[in-house]
């Protein structure tokens, strides 16, 4: 059974920091691309950051320079360090694991989400 469990969300003041964690089980973590997405009320889910199995990273334009994604294959965990948080970062943050090949198809898993609220 595949599980992605996010933690680290909460309430933080503007300008503050949070670190989200997503610990996985049931997958070969090291071969999966991992991502963080977020969804604010009334908006579509959007990419925040992603990291490939080879540690290449990509960020959404709104978080570049403020957020950092990293992974620890020994712990089957991906992290999202969020600095200089803004009220517009308020959303439910979801962890995603993706792997695919032309022969074996695609495997796409999601966590349950963790709430991040940025407010004074």
């Amino acid at each position: 059974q595949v599980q992605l469990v996010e933690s680290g969300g909460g309430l933080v003041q503007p300008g503050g920091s949070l670190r989200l964690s997503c610990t996985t089980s049931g997958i070969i973590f090291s071969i999966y691309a991992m991502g963080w997405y977020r969804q604010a009320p009334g908006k579509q889910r959007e990419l925040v950051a992603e990291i490939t199995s080879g540690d290449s990273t990509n960020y959404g334009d709104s978080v570049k320079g403020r957020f950092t994604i990293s992974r620890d294959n020994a712990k089957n965990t991906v992290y999202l360090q969020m600095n200089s948080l803004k009220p517009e970062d308020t959303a439910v943050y979801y962890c995603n694991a993706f792997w695919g090949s032309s022969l074996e198809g695609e495997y796409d898993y999601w966590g349950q989400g963790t709430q991040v609220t940025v407010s004074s």
Side-chain angles (χ1 to χ4, degrees):
Q1 181 181 3
V2 177
Q3 287 190 311
L4 281 66
V5 180
E6 300 105 332
S7 61
L11 174 64
V12 63
Q13 292 187 340
S17 297
L18 282 176
R19 188 175 84 152
L20 305 183
S21 300
C22 171
T23 300
T24 71
S25 59
I27 61 172
I28 304 173
F29 179 81
S30 61
I31 69 171
Y32 275 73
M34 299 299 300
W36 287 97
Y37 291 74
R38 67 187 182 187
Q39 188 166 20
K43 295 188 177 181
Q44 290 188 332
R45 189 172 295 190
E46 65 174 356
L47 172 70
V48 176
E50 58 188 355
I51 183 167
T52 68
S53 59
D55 288 339
S56 295
T57 58
N58 181 47
Y59 296 91
D61 288 342
S62 63
V63 307
K64 285 180 181 177
R66 300 188 298 122
F67 291 10
T68 302
I69 190 171
S70 61
R71 64 190 299 159
D72 185 336
N73 290 342
K75 295 182 178 180
N76 295 337
T77 300
V78 62
Y79 304 98
L80 183 68
Q81 178 65 44
M82 306 186 293
N83 298 329
S84 302
L85 282 160
K86 305 175 181 180
E88 51 264 43
D89 295 316
T90 296
V92 178
Y93 284 70
Y94 297 91
C95 177
N96 173 258
F98 178 83
W99 181 81
S101 78
S102 58
L103 291 178
E104 300 190 45
E106 297 182 349
Y107 296 83
D108 194 12
Y109 303 105
W110 292 88
Q112 81 287 351
T114 186
Q115 177 70 47
V116 171
T117 303
V118 184
S119 175
S120 55

